[in-house]
Amino acid sequence: MKNGQAAREDERTCTGTEFDAVVIGAGVAGLYQLYKLRELGLRVRTFETGSAVGGTWYWNRYPGARFDSESWTYGYSFSKELLEEWTWEEHFSAQPHTERYLNYVADKFDLRRDIQFNSRVVAALWREDTRSWDIMLESGARHSTRFLVTAIGVLSASVMPTIPGIESFAGQSCHTHRWPKEGLDLAGKRVGIIGTGATAVQTIQTIADIVGHLTVFQRTPNWVFPLNNSKITKEEMQDIRSRYPDILARCRETPGCYVHGPDPRKTLEVSPEDREAFWEKLYRTPGFGQWQANFSDMLTDRTANALASDFAARKIRERVNDPILAEKLIPKNHGFGTRRIPLESGYYEVYNQQNVQLVDVNETPIERITPHGIRTSDCEREFDVIIFATGFDAITGAFDRIDIRGVNAVRLKEVWEDGPQTYLGIFVEGFPNFLMTMGPHAGLSNYTRTAEYNVEWITDVIQFATKRGLSRMEATPLAVKEWTDHVLALGQGQLMNEVGSWMTGVNRNVEGKQKPRIMRYSGGHPAYREYCNAVAAEGYPKLAY
Ligand code: NAP
C-alpha cells in the first residue's frame, strides 16, 4: 500500500506535472513573468520568500532608499492603462512609493492568487524520467513543474561582513537589505555604519541629521554624483504621460535603457573649456547623465577616464570643508564610472557636520565587533546601533543559495565555479526547461526595461515549446560556448570589467568571489535585443529538444 503522498507522486508522474511553470520571485521581473505565463493559459505558481510582492522594493526599507533611474522610465510599459493610471510623485521615487506601485500592479492584474508568499525555494532538481523539475521549499513542501523560471534578482543575496565578534554586539544591528518593517528608532542614537556603496550613501545622507552621532567606516570610497531629484507636479505628470511612447522609444535606443545615452564625441576631441562646461552641465543633470551620457570613450580610454575622474575629484574637494577628509573621500583605486556610481543628495556635506566622523579602515582596520561597539586598531567606539550596508553576493549569489541540480544531478553552482556560462543569459547547458530572467551575461541595465524584454522573450520560447508539445528544451553546448565567448570578448577593454565591484561579481566577504569576472553583457541592450530577436525569428535553432 502506498501512502497518500506516494500515491500523489505517482499520479503526477503519470498525468504530468503539478504546474506548467513555476516562477521563483515576485519582484519586478517575477510579477510580469507570472502575468505573461498566465496569459498563455498555463498553470503557474510563483514562490516568494517575502510576505508580499516587490522583491528589491520589499526588502530594502532602509532610510532614503530610492531609484537611481527616472521613475517614469522604471514603471512597466506593457499596459497602457497602467501607464495612464499611475502617478509618480518624484523623478526618483522613494522605496515606499515604489512598493505601493508594485502592490498596485499585483492587485490590478490579480496576481496574488498565484503567488505563494513566505515560501523560500531551497532546492530544484531536474527529473529526466518525468522531464520536469521538483521544487523544494524551506517548509519541506515539494512541487513539480515542467518549466522553472527564476526571477530572483541580481542584488538579492545580501552579505554580512566576516568581522570577528559580530554576534556579540549587544545593541541593535541590521543589514540594510533586512531593515525591519516597523523601522529602527535612530533619533539621538550613536550609530555606526559599515560600507560606502550606493545603499550606504542613501542611508548616511538621510540619517545624519536624525542620529546623535554617526561614524562611517569606509574601506573604498566611491565616485558619488548628484541625483538632482525633484517632485513631479500634476502638470509635469500629464506631460510625462503624453510622452510615454517617446520616452520608451528613447530607452530602447540607449545602451543602458535609460533616457541618457553616450555623447558620440571622444574626450580629447573637445577643448578643455568645452569639456569642463559639458561636465558642469552633466553635474546638474538629474540621474545617471554623468555616467551614461558622458563622452563615448569615458569607460574604455584610460586618459579620458582619468580626466573625468579629475573633474569628479575637484567636485568633492569643493564640497568637503576639511581637505584631508576630502582626499579620503576621493577614490584612488578605480576611475570614475568604472563602478556603478551612487547618486546622492547632500552626501558630501554630511562630512562637514560636527556629529559625523569618517573612519578609513585602511588606516585603522576594524579588528572586531564587541558587545559595545566596533574596535579598530586605534580605539573602540561605542554604538547603540550598527548598520551593515555591506552589499550583496551579486548576480550569481542568489542562484548559489538554491541547490539547483540539472541532468545527472550536476549542481549549477559547480558549473559556474569559474564564472557563469549561459546561452543569452537565459539558458544553461545541462539544465533543461530552466530559464533565467535577468541572469548572468544578459543585458543588465535599467531594470524594468530590460526585465520586460527578458520576460517576453522567455514567454515566447515557452509558448514555442508548449505549442509543439515539446516537454524538454535545452541550450546546446555550442550555443553556450558561442554566447559565453561572445560576452567575454565584448567585455575586453571595458575598464569596468577590470575593477572589483558587484558588477564584476566581487564580494570580499564571500569565498571564491575575490577576483573580477565578466558577469554582464557589455554590448548595450539594443545589440542584446537584436541578437535575441534573431534567435527567436529563426525558430531557436541552437536549442535541443
Ligand atoms: P556595494 O556597492 O557592494 O557596497 C557595499 C559596501 O560595503 C562597500 O563600500 C564595501 O566596501 C563595504 N564593505 C563590505 N564589507 C566590508 C567590510 N568588512 N569592512 C568595510 N567595508 C565593507 O552594495 P550596495 O551599496 O548595497 O549597492 C549595490 C548596488 O545596489 C548599487 O551599485 C546599485 O546598483 C544598487 N542600489 C541602487 C540604489 C538606487 O539608487 N536605486 C540604491 C542602493 C543600491 P568595498 O567597496 O571596499 O568592498
Side-chain angles (χ1 to χ4, degrees):
M1 263 277 284
K2 287 184 174 168
N3 63 23
Q5 174 70 26
R8 274 198 301 281
E9 299 252 40
D10 273 2
E11 193 187 328
R12 261 184 246 153
T13 311
C14 299
T15 59
T17 57
E18 187 184 0
F19 301 111
D20 299 313
V22 156
V23 178
I24 311 180
V28 167
L31 287 177
Y32 187 42
Q33 189 66 78
L34 168 60
Y35 172 84
K36 287 300 286 180
L37 291 175
R38 229 167 53 177
E39 228 179 25
L40 293 184
L42 300 184
R43 296 163 304 157
V44 192
R45 169 70 56 87
T46 293
F47 294 109
E48 163 58 50
T49 304
S51 64
V53 300
T56 283
W57 303 104
Y58 167 89
W59 293 105
N60 286 283
R61 300 169 181 280
Y62 62 84
R66 64 172 64 249
F67 284 161
D68 51 14
S69 312
E70 284 74 4
S71 311
W72 31 272
T73 69
Y74 194 96
Y76 293 109
S77 69
F78 69 88
S79 161
K80 249 183 140 176
E81 217 177 80
L82 177 63
L83 286 170
E84 285 299 320
E85 282 168 8
W86 187 258
T87 299
W88 292 106
E89 292 176 346
E90 295 176 90
H91 285 280
F92 299 89
S93 174
Q95 178 272 335
H97 190 73
T98 307
E99 193 188 14
R100 275 204 295 284
Y101 170 72
L102 292 168
N103 275 278
Y104 181 83
V105 171
D107 289 337
K108 181 174 172 64
F109 299 103
D110 188 22
L111 298 176
R112 275 179 236 278
R113 70 182 150 91
D114 291 312
I115 305 174
Q116 191 173 314
F117 295 105
N118 303 306
S119 299
R120 178 191 290 282
V121 174
V122 291
L125 312 178
W126 171 251
R127 278 180 59 176
E128 201 63 66
D129 54 346
T130 50
R131 297 186 153 202
S132 65
W133 284 92
D134 274 0
I135 310 293
M136 251 92 41
L137 304 184
E138 201 169 31
S139 64
R142 296 163 75 103
H143 300 276
S144 69
T145 176
R146 177 77 64 217
F147 295 101
L148 175 59
V149 184
T150 59
I152 53 183
V154 291
L155 292 158
S156 56
S158 52
V159 174
M160 290 289 280
T162 51
I163 302 172
I166 198 159
E167 302 301 333
S168 70
F169 182 59
Q172 284 182 299
S173 66
C174 80
H175 192 287
T176 42
H177 183 244
R178 290 299 160 109
W179 202 265
K181 269 190 181 164
E182 61 283 7
L184 262 183
D185 180 13
L186 301 175
K189 302 258 170 79
R190 299 165 303 171
V191 178
I193 180 165
I194 301 182
T196 46
T199 300
V201 165
Q202 291 184 333
T203 308
I204 290 164
Q205 69 195 12
T206 309
I207 66 173
D209 285 337
I210 300 165
V211 299
H213 191 275
L214 179 66
T215 307
V216 178
F217 293 88
Q218 173 186 272
R219 187 165 65 188
T220 312
N222 282 299
W223 298 104
V224 187
F225 256 53
L227 176 64
N228 295 313
N229 187 25
S230 57
K231 296 257 187 255
I232 298 179
T233 63
K234 213 172 143 200
E235 295 69 39
E236 254 183 308
M237 194 60 226
Q238 267 168 2
D239 175 54
I240 288 167
R241 283 199 187 97
S242 72
R243 289 189 296 107
Y244 268 134
D246 293 342
I247 291 168
L248 294 166
R250 171 68 181 152
C251 291
R252 274 194 297 275
E253 67 188 26
T254 61
C257 301
Y258 301 101
V259 281
H260 317 281
D263 187 297
R265 296 172 298 171
K266 291 198 179 355
T267 308
L268 291 167
E269 286 169 8
V270 179
S271 71
E273 298 73 30
D274 288 352
R275 264 195 322 250
E276 192 74 7
F278 175 63
W279 283 330
E280 282 291 350
K281 188 167 149 251
L282 288 181
Y283 202 72
R284 292 188 301 276
T285 302
F288 272 141
Q290 312 88 343
W291 192 38
Q292 295 286 316
N294 218 308
F295 295 117
S296 56
D297 58 349
M298 198 262 289
L299 290 174
T300 49
D301 183 287
R302 284 175 211 285
T303 310
N305 188 262
L307 288 168
S309 303
D310 284 348
F311 173 83
R314 269 184 276 131
K315 285 291 168 197
I316 298 171
R317 290 187 191 109
E318 276 172 22
R319 292 174 57 184
V320 179
N321 296 342
D322 175 349
I324 296 172
L325 190 52
E327 289 314 307
K328 287 185 183 175
L329 288 163
I330 295 172
K332 305 289 186 310
N333 69 351
H334 67 282
F336 177 75
T338 59
R339 283 172 151 198
R340 185 173 164 123
I341 54 167
L343 298 180
E344 55 86 31
S345 308
Y347 174 67
Y348 287 113
E349 285 69 20
V350 159
Y351 294 99
N352 298 331
Q353 289 183 205
Q354 288 301 312
N355 69 331
V356 178
Q357 187 194 12
L358 181 85
V359 175
D360 181 343
V361 302
N362 301 300
E363 286 173 4
T364 52
I366 296 175
E367 287 182 343
R368 66 181 298 115
I369 293 182
T370 69
H372 304 293
I374 298 179
R375 195 166 78 211
T376 48
S377 57
D378 58 340
C379 66
E380 179 175 347
R381 290 174 182 81
E382 294 194 353
F383 298 115
D384 304 306
V385 180
I386 299 178
I387 300 171
F388 297 100
T390 45
F392 300 87
D393 183 357
I395 304 178
T396 51
F399 290 93
D400 291 352
R401 291 184 186 186
I402 305 174
D403 186 8
I404 303 170
R405 299 188 194 210
V407 174
N408 296 327
V410 169
R411 286 192 168 165
L412 182 62
K413 192 173 174 184
E414 281 159 22
V415 174
W416 283 354
E417 206 165 350
D418 295 325
Q421 296 166 51
T422 77
Y423 178 44
L424 311 176
I426 295 172
F427 291 97
V428 187
E429 181 198 340
F431 292 76
N433 296 359
F434 175 79
L435 302 103
M436 303 175 287
T437 66
M438 306 302 279
H441 289 181
L444 212 188
S445 308
N446 182 343
Y447 204 80
T448 314
R449 298 279 62 77
T450 45
E452 260 187 352
Y453 176 78
N454 239 210
V455 163
E456 285 165 11
W457 197 96
I458 287 172
T459 308
D460 287 347
V461 75
I462 289 179
Q463 185 178 33
F464 174 89
T466 47
K467 263 190 175 170
R468 284 161 182 75
L470 304 169
S471 56
R472 188 188 196 283
M473 66 175 166
E474 186 186 358
T476 59
L478 180 66
V480 172
K481 184 177 182 323
E482 278 180 2
W483 178 254
T484 305
D485 288 350
H486 176 56
V487 171
L488 297 182
L490 279 174
Q492 299 302 325
Q494 303 278 342
L495 300 179
M496 283 180 87
N497 287 328
E498 297 173 3
V499 172
S501 80
W502 72 263
M503 292 188 130
T504 49
V506 172
N507 189 310
R508 287 161 66 182
N509 299 309
V510 180
E511 212 188 307
K513 302 221 170 160
Q514 315 292 314
K515 283 201 194 125
R517 286 175 177 159
I518 293 172
M519 303 291 278
R520 300 167 306 114
Y521 174 83
S522 24
H525 208 258
Y528 175 76
R529 282 197 307 272
E530 198 181 316
Y531 198 111
C532 294
N533 286 346
V535 169
E538 288 160 17
Y540 313 99
K542 287 176 186 158
L543 294 182
Y545 306 103

